[in-house]
Every structure is written in C-alpha cells, then in structure tokens.
C-alpha cells in the first residue's frame, strides 16, 4: 500500500504559459475579435467569439505540438521540491487522450518530476485520496476546496474572483503549500 500524500498538478497555465499560445493560435484563425488573455475574465471567455468545435480543435492542436513549447522558469524546481517532500505527483490535464504521447514527451524532455499522468475531462475523480491541488481552473479549485484539499494556483484574470489564495509565480505557490 502506498502511504505517500498525493498532489494533483495541472499543466496548462500551471507548468507553462498556455494562454499566450492559445491566444496567438485563435487570433491567427479568427482575427481581431479575439481578446488578449488579460481580458479573459471568465473561464468560458471563448464563447463570446468562437464555437466549441473551433476552440477545442485549437486546444488539441496545441497539445499535439506540446514539445515545441517551454515551461515556466520555476516549473522543474517546483515539482522536484514537492516530490522531495514525500508527495506522489499526478499530473492531471483536461486533454484529449490522443495527446498522451505528446504530453509525456514534453514532460520528459523538460525533466519534470511526476509519478502518473492523467488526461481526462474530469480531474475531480482523482480527489478522493489527494491532499493538494494546483490548478488555474476556478471550477477545479472550488471543487478541490469542497473536498478538503489544499488548493491553490497561479492567478489569472479568469480565476482571481475564486476567493482562494492564488499567486504570481510557482515559487510563491510552493511557499504557500509548504507553509500551510
């Protein structure tokens, strides 16, 4: 039996700057109707200017070419420190299962510590035995808090009204987790 505490860590807008790439791709496809990420004040911001098919197809394209993109400067140290304090790390992302290999390749190429990779449209299925959740989704963060997890993440326009302690960078997220 594994007695390690479990940390659920998101990928997009947690370990790397997904929002900027998403904006660039959507802007290329749709033009100036796409507002910049600084104006994405709700989780479903995209519904104002594109349909679900275009949005999710664009997201999947980015995930399939994940290896072209870097990580936040503190991502490796963040995960290494969480792992060294005894946590089992489950990287969890709302991604199409077809992006599994591209995601694994990206994680390995950037030497990001993790124990499991979970791709699905429902991360909350993982919450029953977990202790920590780091994510940018307001819905995931609220659900984690409601399940009794220590939940936090990076602050963005779409999640800053969630009334959960959020941070400007992963160093501060780590400090919060280690001192809570």
């Amino acid at each position: 039996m594994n007695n390690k505490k479990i940390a659920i860590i998101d990928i997009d807008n947690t370990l790397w700057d997904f929002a900027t790439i998403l904006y660039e791709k959507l802007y290329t496809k749709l033009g100036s109707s796409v507002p910049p990420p600084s104006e994405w004040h709700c989780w479903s911001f995209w519904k104002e200017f594109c349909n679900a098919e275009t949005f999710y197809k664009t997201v999947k394209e980015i995930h399939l070419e994940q290896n072209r993109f870097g990580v936040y400067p503190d991502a490796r140290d963040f995960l290494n420190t969480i792992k060294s304090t005894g946590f089992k790390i489950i990287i969890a992302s709302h991604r199409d299962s077809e992006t599994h290999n591209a995601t694994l390749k990206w994680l390995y190429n950037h030497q990001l510590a993790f124990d499991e990779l979970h791709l699905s449209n429902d991360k909350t299925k993982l919450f029953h035995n977990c202790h920590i959740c780091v994510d940018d989704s307001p819905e995931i963060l609220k659900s984690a808090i409601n399940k009794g997890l220590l939940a936090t993440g990076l602050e963005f326009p779409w999640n800053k009204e969630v009334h959960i302690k959020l941070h400007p960078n992963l160093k501060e997220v780590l400090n919060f987790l280690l001192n809570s």
Side-chain angles (χ1 to χ4, degrees):
M1 184 171 164
N2 190 343
N3 293 327
K4 282 188 171 187
K5 290 183 178 180
I6 298 173
I8 304 294
I9 311 293
D10 183 35
I11 298 174
D12 298 333
N13 300 311
T14 298
L15 299 177
W16 78 292
D17 185 8
F18 176 75
T20 298
I21 303 304
L22 178 60
Y23 168 71
E24 290 169 0
K25 291 260 188 198
L26 289 172
Y27 188 89
T28 298
K29 289 180 179 187
L30 304 170
S32 62
S33 66
V34 180
S38 62
E39 295 178 28
W40 297 354
H41 295 288
C42 71
W43 190 242
S44 57
F45 70 92
W46 56 272
K47 291 180 179 179
E48 296 175 19
F49 58 84
C50 79
N51 61 36
E53 181 182 355
T54 300
F55 180 75
Y56 290 112
K57 181 179 178 188
T58 304
V59 168
K60 184 177 176 181
E61 288 169 3
I62 294 168
H63 291 155
L64 285 170
E65 60 182 22
Q66 181 76 49
N67 216 40
R68 290 186 46 225
F69 308 110
V71 298
Y72 284 137
D74 302 330
R76 187 176 304 126
D77 288 342
F78 171 75
L79 291 172
N80 285 340
T81 302
I82 289 175
K83 188 140 179 81
S84 73
T85 60
F87 279 89
K88 174 182 177 178
I89 297 173
I90 300 176
I91 300 291
S93 185
H94 291 145
R95 292 179 178 218
D96 188 291
S97 61
E98 290 179 39
T99 68
H100 186 268
N101 289 341
T103 304
L104 272 179
K105 184 176 180 180
W106 181 79
L107 290 165
Y108 289 136
N109 284 347
H110 290 287
Q111 301 171 336
L112 298 175
F114 70 101
D115 297 290
E116 286 181 32
L117 175 61
H118 177 84
L119 304 182
S120 81
N121 62 0
D122 187 5
K123 296 178 199 177
T124 64
K125 292 177 183 178
L126 301 171
F127 288 175
H128 61 280
N129 288 323
C130 295
H131 301 84
I132 291 174
C133 177
V134 180
D135 209 297
D136 68 304
S137 163
E139 287 82 13
I140 295 296
L141 291 169
K142 286 177 201 172
S143 180
I145 290 288
N146 289 339
K147 296 281 186 181
L149 279 68
L150 177 60
T152 190
L154 298 175
E155 183 179 84
F156 293 101
W158 57 86
N159 68 8
K160 67 182 180 180
E161 301 300 323
V162 78
H163 305 295
I164 291 173
K165 181 71 175 155
L166 300 169
H167 309 274
N169 59 56
L170 288 172
K171 280 185 181 179
E172 291 192 29
V173 169
L174 184 61
N175 250 353
F176 174 78
L177 293 173
L178 295 177
N179 294 306
S180 292

